Amino acid sequence: MSASKIVSLLLLLVLINISSNDINGVNAFHKVIKKMQSKSTSLEVVSHLHRTGFHFQPPRHWINDPNGPMVYKGIYHLFYQYNPKGAVWGNIVWAHSVSKDLINWEALEPAIYPSKWFDINGTWSGSATNVPGKGPVILYTGITENHTQIQNYAIPQDLSDPYLKKWIKPDDNPIVRPDHGENGSAFRDPTTAWFNKKDGHWRMLVGSKNKRRGIAYMYKSRDFKKWVKTKRPVHTRKATGMWECPDFFPVSIGKKTGLDTSYDGPNTKHVLKVSLDLTRYEYYTLGTYDTKKDRYKPDGTTPDGWDGLRLDYGNFYASKTFFDDTKNRRILWGWANESDSAVEDTLKGWAGVQLIPRTVLLDSSGKQLVFWPIEEIESLRGKNVQMNNQKIEMGQRFEVQGITPAQVDVDVTFNVGSLDKAETFDASFATKPLDLCNLKGSNVTGGVGPFGLITLATSDLQEYTPVFFRVFKDGTTNKPKVLMCSDAKPSTLKGDTGTDSTEKMYKPSFAGFVDVDLADGKISLRSLIDHSVVESFGAKGKTVITSRVYPTKAVGDNAHLFVFNNGSQPVTVESLNAWNMQKPEKMNQGAK
Ligand code: DQQ
């Protein structure tokens, strides 16, 4: 073999190794970093530089999956996977917070923590179900003495307490153990259960895999205690690996309200969402749930697998929805991990945020879901600035002035005018939006676009996180194909030159297509910008992308916000509203 071939081979091996460790920026976990897992940080030394202003965070330490969200007696409950002793994954308990408005949160004692043989090695993710007559029941995964994953239940000690401060784990646990056909080390994350009036049974799903086939097992029960596996899994898919945190719920066709998980009526579709352990991103399908056969069949309008639709095309994982019967809406919670290293997390004393809860509806096309930040978030809006009818020629950018852009909500509607100059869409990119974003970044001149927002930027663009659209045209139909990107590559000067692990920084570009026809030329973009989080909603929530970024200079009062256009076709900002966002009064002070 020639020397150059050997060099290429070595390079390939290095790349393979990098990409297999680098699972979408989410630190590999369930692997305990022993020397760091109990390295506690005192509150005085927690680093505030990149902490968020209005996102859900405990005052310090590691968080991951949102667990068991629900509303009970008018109080919202959020549990989450939490390490009370350090800023990396480990020592996991179900931390518990309560809120009256989904904005201000009060921390309570952890609700569930390892203490019995059936969860002594871990209290992992799960869901809550409001069982009429019984009150809320939590189903969660316990890791046993011999490291098997089993499903347990927990109930409140006092149903008259709307805060549900104390939880009991009855001794008749577990409710479900893996049988001989199931994989006891890949068997977890029970869903909210739903009730089938016709046969008087509750049902719930548990995520799993068999070799590389992703599986959602279904169990049914009359009394919520004795659970029996149904004949076949509700759904499986080859080559998708372990299905973590499945979520299964109905959505209404036509109505702008959410549905209870047990709803069984006409004009609905079902959604099955799974979190893919292999890549650390999620996908969902829309389909039909046959309640007699207990089988789910995707519609087939989008792929059932790696290229499937995503709730969020960015840093978003282990998500879970719940039905909020106080406002008739379904709300989605998702977790965004850090993109920096475990060493950095330990140094800063915290890791992970829960993203702003989003309402979930079926799009009028029936082919996808749409997401929108819950209306309550608007109560945090402070000073407002606007921009109207601002034409942006190629290469121009305009600053949004008069606010502090490190912590804002910005909502802009662009008009692209004519599509005549749009680049022709190459069909080979149809399943590869990310490749397209990497190839054609925010600075690569196009026909229609790239245009959008430049967030968390220094005035000279040494650091910036662009969120933008690029409009292509289908060569035969002339229909637009819209790409949306959120690009962390230029977000920070950090990690560019460093070689040791504290300096390394994952700075990905994230991408998705946006299904719009642009008949009126308009496309909207809303971004919730919060120091190290940029959550962006394209075309009123048809495509959502979250990025985590760590600017060194574009911080605090030195962060800037621009609208820009690098396409030869001028675009117009028809309207732009930006609001400073206030901090909630209460954000989990005193979390243990
Ligand atoms: N996190 C939990 C598991 C789940 C994973 C453990 C998903 O139950 O599968 O912290 O992030």
Side-chain angles (χ1 to χ4, degrees), residues 29-30 64-65 81 89 124-125 188-189 244 280 317-318:
F29 63 97
H30 301 166
N64 57 292
D65 320 357
Q81 299 273 288
W89 187 83
W124 288 14
S125 286
R188 54 184 182 266
D189 309 337
E244 298 189 311
R280 298 262 140 201
Y317 197 68

Side-chain angles (χ1 to χ4, degrees), residues 400-476:
V400 181
Q401 283 172 324
I403 45 160
T404 42
Q407 196 173 307
V408 293
D409 178 355
V410 54
D411 195 1
V412 51
T413 300
F414 294 97
N415 197 317
V416 300
S418 154
L419 294 185
D420 289 351
K421 292 187 181 155
E423 298 154 81
T424 304
F425 187 70
D426 179 338
S428 67
F429 281 115
T431 56
K432 297 181 185 132
L434 190 53
D435 290 358
L436 206 46
C437 273
N438 282 327
L439 196 69
K440 291 173 181 270
S442 62
N443 287 323
V444 178
T445 307
V448 181
F451 63 89
L453 292 168
I454 298 178
T455 73
L456 295 174
T458 52
S459 51
D460 58 0
L461 300 195
Q462 271 192 69
E463 292 184 329
Y464 63 104
T465 301
V467 185
F468 56 97
F469 300 115
R470 184 184 280 266
V471 182
F472 296 86
K473 231 174 5 189
D474 185 296
T476 39

Side-chain angles (χ1 to χ4, degrees), residues 77-97:
H77 293 254
L78 180 67
F79 307 86
Y80 55 97
Q81 299 273 288
Y82 177 55
N83 180 354
K85 297 186 183 160
V88 297
W89 187 83
N91 309 307
I92 291 293
V93 301
W94 274 51
H96 183 192
S97 293

Side-chain angles (χ1 to χ4, degrees), residues 270-474:
H270 257 79
V271 178
L272 177 63
K273 183 276 310 184
V274 294
S275 306
L276 300 175
D277 193 25
L278 282 178
T279 47
R280 298 262 140 201
Y281 66 71
E282 310 186 315
Y283 83 94
Y284 72 90
T285 48
L286 290 162
T288 311
Y289 167 41
D290 182 332
T291 54
K292 282 209 191 88
K293 293 192 183 130
D294 277 327
R295 300 277 287 169
Y296 168 76
K297 190 165 180 290
D299 284 350
T301 47
T302 52
D304 181 11
W306 299 106
D307 300 329
L309 291 169
R310 301 203 208 163
L311 306 174
D312 184 313
Y313 290 79
N315 185 336
F316 184 89
Y317 197 68
S319 69
K320 188 173 294 296
T321 63
F322 75 104
F323 177 62
D324 174 8
D325 60 0
T326 65
K327 292 200 173 179
N328 277 329
R329 56 186 175 172
R330 181 162 288 274
I331 295 179
L332 168 71
W333 280 100
W335 158 59
N337 193 14
E338 303 304 306
S339 295
D340 60 3
S341 66
V343 175
E344 292 262 351
D345 292 345
T346 300
L347 287 174
K348 66 187 201 276
W350 60 275
V353 298
Q354 303 298 352
L355 295 170
I356 298 302
R358 303 162 183 177
T359 54
V360 180
L361 289 172
L362 182 66
D363 182 54
S364 54
S365 69
K367 288 197 216 135
Q368 66 163 103
L369 298 172
V370 282
F371 312 93
W372 200 243
I374 49 160
E375 60 188 12
E376 286 85 341
I377 199 74
E378 292 165 28
S379 67
L380 293 175
R381 286 173 173 173
K383 185 180 178 199
N384 165 252
V385 295
Q386 301 185 340
M387 190 186 279
N388 290 304
N389 299 320
Q390 176 66 63
K391 191 171 179 191
I392 324 179
E393 303 280 352
M394 179 163 79
Q396 280 187 320
R397 64 172 192 267
F398 294 97
E399 181 157 10
V400 181
Q401 283 172 324
I403 45 160
T404 42
Q407 196 173 307
V408 293
D409 178 355
V410 54
D411 195 1
V412 51
T413 300
F414 294 97
N415 197 317
V416 300
S418 154
L419 294 185
D420 289 351
K421 292 187 181 155
E423 298 154 81
T424 304
F425 187 70
D426 179 338
S428 67
F429 281 115
T431 56
K432 297 181 185 132
L434 190 53
D435 290 358
L436 206 46
C437 273
N438 282 327
L439 196 69
K440 291 173 181 270
S442 62
N443 287 323
V444 178
T445 307
V448 181
F451 63 89
L453 292 168
I454 298 178
T455 73
L456 295 174
T458 52
S459 51
D460 58 0
L461 300 195
Q462 271 192 69
E463 292 184 329
Y464 63 104
T465 301
V467 185
F468 56 97
F469 300 115
R470 184 184 280 266
V471 182
F472 296 86
K473 231 174 5 189
D474 185 296

Side-chain angles (χ1 to χ4, degrees), residues 14-35:
V14 169
L15 281 174
I16 288 171
N17 192 33
I18 287 173
S19 59
S20 59
N21 289 334
D22 164 17
I23 35 180
N24 274 18
V26 183
N27 297 341
F29 63 97
H30 301 166
K31 281 186 200 101
V32 175
I33 309 176
K34 275 233 164 77
K35 59 179 194 286

